[in-house]
Amino acid sequence: MNIRYFAWVRERVGLEEETIEVPASVKTVADLIGHLKSLDENHAAAFEEEDAIRVALDQLHVEVDAELGNAREAAFFPPMTGG
Amino acid sequence: MNIRYFAWVRERVGLEEETIEVPASVKTVADLIGHLKSLDENHAAAFEEEDAIRVALDQLHVEVDAELGNAREAAFFPPMTGG
Amino acid sequence: MKVTPVVRVQSEDFDVQLESRALAEGRKDVGALVTFTGLCRDEAGTLSALELEHYPGMAEAELTRIAEQAVQRWPLTGLTVVHRFGKIPPGENIVLVVSASAHRRAAFEAADFLMDYLKTRAPFWKKEHLVDGDSGSWVEAKSGDEDDAARWSS
Amino acid sequence: MKVTPVVRVQSEDFDVQLESRALAEGRKDVGALVTFTGLCRDEAGTLSALELEHYPGMAEAELTRIAEQAVQRWPLTGLTVVHRFGKIPPGENIVLVVSASAHRRAAFEAADFLMDYLKTRAPFWKKEHLVDGDSGSWVEAKSGDEDDAARWSS
């Protein structure tokens, strides 16, 4: 699965984008966050304030309880500040 | 006193502007309307629908119970439709 | 720093870009600029022009009073109101409001307020000229306009 | 007749006049044209630039979803949204919304709605670059922005 990071989430992870193998046990966005946090210290630090992070699956906003389903891309970012 | 008329009030009176002597008994805008109605048929027709007429004294919106005081100009017109 | 609104009543057209620039150019404290342009519609092809009558002197004075209220009520960095009079064909501009502020809500609300108040209080009257040659009737004030204006006094 | 919103995400500046004309010129059914321009402020001289990061693809998609909602909700004759990305110095444009309608309330509300939704839903993030050379912090979302957006779901 393709994972993208933006703004301070990107800075903390240290990556703009990565492709990961999703374990079969990972069904929801919350599961995916748990998995990403286990990867290394940077990921753990990035997802420390979980409540401050927003998620999109295939470029659509979703909540953390959303099923990953057949999504090909997940993106993690802080609350938006455009406009 | 200088009296001005706008829009359909002007068309019914047949005058843009006129200067009249205000009788001592005329104290308020309502009194003035009564006096104007007595002048001729055109004035009477213009003020027939009294509720539909708005008034300004010296270029400030007022209600019909306003005192004329030292006002030099009264204007009568329909509800405004600018913008 | 007190903002002095720019108010003009004129027969000639206005330039939205020019009026916007006057409020924003060379400044770094403007975060939001709202323009409202009111245009003459042809009412599905029936209207050949609107004729805007106004009360010279009071039109400027009343627009200034409304604009001063907006400046008191919202933290604006600039406010411009231009209203045309005379015969205006469909597709042409009638009225312009430009409001500038550090913040978007103030700019939006001030422009919205100004248009609502202007509609019910500024001494302008519209007469319709029809395509079939009739000089049609005077446009009637809408009760909805009074309701819109009343939103701001609650 | 269904209106198709114009949505663009770009690094280059936009021309408010050009975008306004595209919605009004040659038409006689537009009675109200509202433009909202969001500009970069210098925060009392402390800010040298804002850096706008965006999620390419999703930014366009999300702005289009918001614009389609506005078109469903209000009787618009046209709607345009342009959002810039990259480094933007104080005084320069960031975002533009232009809404056109027969009636002023629809044009005002659609532009206002679009800005509120855009602020909380379009994937853009601002980082401050400071005059003293620091690349400052990421701008934090304001709870007021969520409140503004919530006004439209009541």
Side-chain angles (χ1 to χ4, degrees):
Chain A
M1 186 175 207
N2 195 41
I3 315 286
R4 303 182 71 165
Y5 305 104
F6 294 95
W8 59 253
V9 181
R10 169 179 57 71
E11 289 180 343
R12 291 189 196 174
V13 174
L15 290 169
E16 288 187 14
E17 199 163 351
E18 63 184 326
T19 305
I20 62 159
E21 288 296 318
V22 180
S25 62
V26 169
K27 305 286 190 200
T28 66
V29 168
D31 296 341
L32 179 59
I33 291 174
H35 175 65
L36 291 168
K37 284 170 88 164
S38 74
L39 293 181
D40 63 24
E41 280 183 12
N42 286 351
H43 283 82
F47 287 97
E48 205 173 7
E49 304 167 60
E50 264 185 55
D51 287 354
I53 290 181
R54 300 288 176 270
V55 196
L57 286 182
D58 286 345
Q59 308 193 350
L60 277 168
H61 292 294
V62 297
E63 300 296 324
V64 289
D65 60 0
E67 304 267 342
L68 297 184
N70 296 316
R72 297 164 58 182
E73 182 168 285
F76 298 93
F77 40 78
M80 287 131 288
T81 56
Chain B
M1 186 174 208
N2 195 38
I3 314 286
R4 302 182 70 164
Y5 305 104
F6 295 96
W8 58 252
V9 181
R10 170 180 56 72
E11 289 179 343
R12 291 189 196 174
V13 174
L15 290 170
E16 288 187 14
E17 200 163 349
E18 61 184 327
T19 305
I20 63 159
E21 289 296 320
V22 180
S25 62
V26 168
K27 305 286 189 196
T28 68
V29 168
D31 296 342
L32 179 58
I33 291 175
H35 175 65
L36 291 168
K37 283 171 88 164
S38 75
L39 293 182
D40 62 26
E41 279 183 13
N42 286 351
H43 284 82
F47 287 97
E48 203 172 10
E49 304 167 59
E50 262 184 57
D51 287 354
I53 290 180
R54 301 287 175 272
V55 195
L57 284 182
D58 286 344
Q59 309 192 349
L60 276 169
H61 291 295
V62 296
E63 302 294 324
V64 289
D65 59 0
E67 304 267 341
L68 298 184
N70 295 317
R72 296 164 58 184
E73 183 168 284
F76 297 94
F77 41 77
M80 287 131 289
T81 56
Chain C
M1 200 170 55
K2 175 106 171 38
V3 168
T4 305
V6 173
V7 172
R8 294 206 312 278
V9 174
Q10 62 190 40
S11 65
E12 62 272 26
D13 197 8
F14 47 77
D15 182 329
V16 182
Q17 189 176 33
L18 207 73
E19 303 299 341
S20 298
R21 275 195 186 152
L23 296 195
E25 209 162 50
R27 302 186 67 140
K28 296 176 174 179
D29 59 343
V30 176
L33 189 82
V34 169
T35 74
F36 175 89
T37 309
L39 301 105
C40 178
R41 287 178 286 130
D42 73 352
E43 304 296 348
T46 60
L47 195 87
S48 70
L50 281 176
E51 186 155 5
L52 269 289
E53 179 169 338
H54 76 300
Y55 183 171
M58 179 169 171
E60 292 84 347
E62 190 65 24
L63 288 176
T64 301
R65 285 190 281 267
I66 299 167
E68 290 285 357
Q69 272 192 63
V71 163
Q72 296 295 326
R73 189 157 171 176
W74 288 279
L76 304 178
T77 58
L79 183 61
T80 298
V81 189
V82 186
H83 203 304
R84 294 180 67 193
F85 60 83
K87 216 164 175 178
I88 298 179
E92 278 201 19
N93 295 325
I94 297 173
V95 62
L96 173 69
V97 172
V98 187
S99 57
S101 173
H103 303 288
R104 78 182 185 289
R105 180 108 346 265
F108 264 124
E109 290 189 353
D112 198 4
F113 164 88
L114 223 102
M115 281 307 303
D116 283 349
Y117 263 55
L118 180 159
K119 284 250 174 195
T120 55
R121 298 192 58 88
F124 290 86
W125 302 270
K126 291 191 185 107
K127 188 171 199 169
E128 297 179 332
H129 290 265
L130 303 183
V131 166
D132 66 14
D134 274 14
S135 102
S137 46
W138 291 93
V139 173
E140 279 192 56
K142 297 186 198 75
S143 61
D145 288 334
E146 289 286 348
D147 297 343
D148 284 344
R151 295 185 303 151
W152 303 100
S153 36
S154 61
Chain D
M1 202 170 52
K2 175 108 169 37
V3 168
T4 305
V6 173
V7 172
R8 292 203 315 277
V9 174
Q10 62 190 39
S11 65
E12 63 271 26
D13 197 8
F14 48 76
D15 181 329
V16 183
Q17 190 177 32
L18 207 73
E19 303 299 341
S20 298
R21 274 194 187 155
L23 296 194
E25 209 162 50
R27 301 187 67 140
K28 295 177 175 179
D29 58 344
V30 176
L33 189 82
V34 169
T35 74
F36 175 88
T37 309
L39 301 105
C40 178
R41 286 177 288 129
D42 72 352
E43 304 296 347
T46 60
L47 195 88
S48 70
L50 281 176
E51 186 156 2
L52 269 288
E53 180 170 337
H54 76 299
Y55 183 172
M58 180 169 170
E60 291 84 347
E62 191 64 25
L63 288 176
T64 301
R65 285 189 281 268
I66 299 166
E68 289 285 358
Q69 273 190 62
V71 163
Q72 296 295 325
R73 191 157 169 175
W74 288 278
L76 304 179
T77 58
L79 181 61
T80 298
V81 189
V82 186
H83 203 303
R84 293 179 67 193
F85 60 84
K87 217 165 175 178
I88 298 178
E92 277 201 19
N93 295 326
I94 297 173
V95 61
L96 173 69
V97 172
V98 187
S99 57
S101 173
H103 302 287
R104 80 182 185 289
R105 178 106 350 263
F108 264 124
E109 290 190 353
D112 198 3
F113 164 88
L114 222 101
M115 282 307 304
D116 282 349
Y117 263 56
L118 180 158
K119 284 251 173 194
T120 54
R121 298 191 59 88
F124 291 85
W125 301 272
K126 290 191 186 108
K127 188 172 201 169
E128 297 179 333
H129 291 265
L130 303 182
V131 166
D132 66 13
D134 274 15
S135 103
S137 48
W138 291 94
V139 172
E140 279 193 55
K142 296 186 200 75
S143 62
D145 288 336
E146 289 286 348
D147 297 343
D148 284 344
R151 295 185 302 151
W152 303 100
S153 35
S154 60

